[in-house]
Each structure stands twice: as C-alpha cells, then as structure tokens.
Amino acid sequence: MKIETTDKKKTFKPGVKVKDSWQYRVFKVINVIIMLIICAATLYPFLYLVAQSFSSEAAIIKGQVSIFPVDFNLTTYRSVLMKGDFLNYYKNTILYAVIGTFFSVFFSALLAYPLSKSTLRLNKFFTPFIIFTMYFGGGMIPNYILMTSLGLRNTTLSFILPGLIGTYYVLLMKSFFQSLPHELEEAGEIDGLSKYGVFFRIVLPISKPIIATMVLFYMAGYWSNWFNAFLYLEDRSKWPVAYYLRQIIIGASTSADPGAVSAESMQVAANIKSCSMVLMAVPIICVYPFIQKYFVQGMMLGGVKG
C-alpha cells in the first residue's frame, strides 16, 4: 500500500532572495534604535567637551554650549600650546607611554610564551602564583618604600616599573600563544633555530594581533596614569600631562596668572580643562583606528583558549 504525502521539501533557487519574517524585521529596527541611543550616549560627553573647548567663556556661563561651539575661537588652544609647561608635560607623557609600552609588551611576551608550553617544568606551579597577583598585592606603602630604597624616586623608572607587567595581559598572551600551530615551531627547530630564535623569528612575527592589542592596552594605561606620578615624582618638570590635568581639576594649580583680569585670561581659566582633556585624548583616538582589526582579532583568539 502506497501512502502519499503532501509535504514536499522546499528548494531554494540560486539568486532568489528569501524575505525576512516580520518579527525579524522588527528586531532589526529595535536593535538599530538601541545601538544609536548607546552611541549617542557615549559620544555626547566627548562632543560636549570639544564644543566647550572651542566656545567662549560667556557662552559656557550662560549654558549655551551643547555639541556645537558657540562664538568659535582658538584662544584657549593657543594659550595652552604656547605654555612651555604643558608641552613639557605632553613630551613626558609620550616618553613614558612609548618606553613603558615597549618594555611592558616585551616582558609580558617573554613571560607568557614559556607559560603556554605544557612541557615547561613546574608550569602548573608558576601559573597559580602569577594569577595570585591579580587579587593580592603588596600595597601602596610597601611599593613606596621599595621605590625609595632602590633610589628610583623622581625617575622615569618609578613611573614605569610598578605597572610594567599586567597579569591579565600575560594570561591573554598565554592563551594566544597556545592557539598557534606547534608545527611552525617544530619546523624552526628542525632548521636549527634555538628556543629564542623560534620565539623572536617565528612566534612574534605571527603574533601581530595580540601584540597590537597589548600595545593599545598598555599605551592607554600609561597615557592616562597619574597615580604613579603622584607617589613618586616630586619634580614638577617630570610630571605627565594626566597628573597636570588632575592638578588643574582639583584646583591645585591655576590656569592663568592670578593678577590677570583680561577677557582672554578669563576664557583660558574657564576652558583650559576641556582643552587639556581634548589634547590628551586625541592621540589615543588617532592610534586606535589603525590597530582596530588587530585588537578585535587578538581579543577573540586570546580569549578562546584558556
């Protein structure tokens, strides 16, 4: 007895566009609206800061500034950039960020690579001790005493050494190195490379995603770090711009001469905070687009395997 069925398999012809269901179209619309709201909420503070830095002091006092400058002028930027102190702080910040980022990424990679090898003796012994430092530290006072006893106060090393290696970043690099194919390293050893040769000539060149990610993380940390300067740098000429900006915000230093009463000095006093913040944020914003693709790839590959 032959049983006929009315169900037939649906076949899709090439080039035929399948229409989305109305539920999915509603979901896409709601999703776009939510994303736009989040983007607007994220961008508004920075746009307001930029608009305020280009606006006049009178417009700021009257509350006329939103996301567009009012009475556009460059008086504040000229005054800030012409001051030797600010440019010196900016130079210090660039110096600390470049040197600190280079050595932080280098030493983090040197630590993460051997930990990624299961053949390393006492691997399971060292890893928990490294993770332990994520939750417990010596504290501010012991670190201050250590830096003082080593004679590193008022030096570049006192700003860089306390945050030289980040435990989380080491674990992220360790996971990335574990995801690399072992055949490449074995081929290098067959060709006569030592362990260091394999690391520097094979592993590092193919680890651009995770290295770019670490560069962004470390550089952003050094660029915005003011606490180490607060603890260890008494010499004002060695301050980073972040600490100088903090001093302005809390009123510890004045942005204009106390005896000046001109309209220009009043405007500088009102706008220098926003101007300094914009000048401080611009370099990181400019760097990010160039390493964004590596950043996303490095985070995905580094976070998959633990």
Side-chain angles (χ1 to χ4, degrees):
M1 181 176 180
K2 186 177 181 181
I3 300 176
E4 296 182 358
T5 59
T6 56
D7 295 336
K8 296 182 179 179
K9 294 182 179 180
K10 296 181 179 179
T11 58
F12 298 96
K13 297 180 180 180
V16 177
K17 185 177 180 181
V18 180
K19 293 184 178 180
D20 297 330
S21 63
W22 68 270
Q23 295 95 333
Y24 184 67
R25 291 197 295 269
V26 172
F27 168 77
K28 289 198 297 184
V29 172
I30 296 176
N31 190 38
V32 170
I33 293 174
I34 293 175
M35 291 297 104
L36 289 175
I37 293 175
I38 294 175
C39 290
T42 305
L43 290 175
Y44 177 76
F46 184 74
L47 294 178
Y48 174 76
L49 200 66
V50 174
Q52 190 180 46
S53 67
F54 287 108
S55 300
S56 65
E57 181 261 350
I60 296 174
I61 294 177
K62 294 179 181 179
Q64 299 175 344
V65 181
S66 56
I67 61 174
F68 299 103
V70 178
D71 298 332
F72 181 89
N73 64 85
L74 299 174
T75 304
T76 307
Y77 284 92
R78 284 197 298 266
S79 300
V80 170
L81 294 176
M82 288 175 63
K83 291 181 66 175
D85 289 345
F86 183 83
L87 295 179
N88 182 60
Y89 301 143
Y90 216 85
K91 180 191 70 175
N92 292 339
T93 301
I94 295 174
L95 180 67
Y96 298 150
V98 172
I99 295 177
T101 300
F102 174 79
F103 284 105
S104 292
V105 173
F106 179 74
F107 286 112
S108 297
L110 283 181
L111 177 59
Y113 179 67
L115 291 177
S116 66
K117 303 303 175 184
S118 58
T119 56
L120 175 68
R121 293 182 180 180
L122 301 179
N123 191 337
K124 295 182 179 180
F125 174 81
F126 289 116
T127 302
F129 278 96
I130 294 175
I131 297 176
F132 180 83
T133 61
M134 293 181 65
Y135 306 101
F136 301 96
M140 180 177 64
I141 296 177
N143 287 335
Y144 180 83
I145 295 175
L146 176 63
M147 289 294 169
T148 303
S149 62
L150 294 175
L152 296 179
R153 291 184 61 219
N154 282 322
T155 64
T156 303
L157 290 177
S158 66
F159 189 86
I160 295 175
L161 281 181
L164 185 64
I165 297 179
T167 306
Y168 173 74
Y169 303 148
V170 171
L171 297 178
L172 200 63
M173 297 187 79
K174 171 179 173 289
S175 299
F176 181 87
F177 290 145
Q178 287 177 332
S179 67
L180 297 178
H182 299 289
E183 292 77 11
L184 291 176
E185 300 178 35
E186 292 175 355
E189 293 178 355
I190 293 174
D191 291 339
L193 291 177
S194 63
K195 294 293 184 182
Y196 293 101
V198 171
F199 176 70
F200 287 107
R201 301 183 63 177
I202 295 179
V203 175
L204 288 185
I206 63 176
S207 300
K208 290 180 181 179
I210 194 65
I211 292 177
T213 304
M214 295 300 102
V215 166
L216 180 63
F217 280 161
Y218 277 117
M219 181 171 289
Y222 283 114
W223 192 268
S224 59
N225 186 4
W226 61 268
F227 192 68
N228 287 350
F230 171 73
L231 287 179
Y232 309 120
L233 298 181
E234 294 181 357
D235 187 355
R236 186 184 180 95
S237 64
K238 296 181 179 180
W239 283 2
V241 70
Y243 185 57
Y244 173 67
L245 179 60
R246 176 183 179 273
Q247 296 298 87
I248 293 177
I249 293 175
I250 65 176
S253 61
T254 57
S255 57
D257 293 335
V261 293
S262 64
E264 179 179 345
S265 64
M266 291 177 60
Q267 182 175 338
V268 171
N271 297 0
I272 192 170
K273 296 179 183 178
S274 55
C275 175
S276 301
M277 291 179 182
V278 171
L279 291 174
M280 181 178 173
V282 164
I284 297 297
I285 296 175
C286 293
V287 169
Y288 180 76
F290 295 99
I291 61 177
Q292 180 183 9
K293 62 177 181 179
Y294 297 115
F295 173 78
V296 175
Q297 187 179 357
M299 288 296 294
M300 289 295 294
L301 294 179
V304 170
K305 193 174 182 180

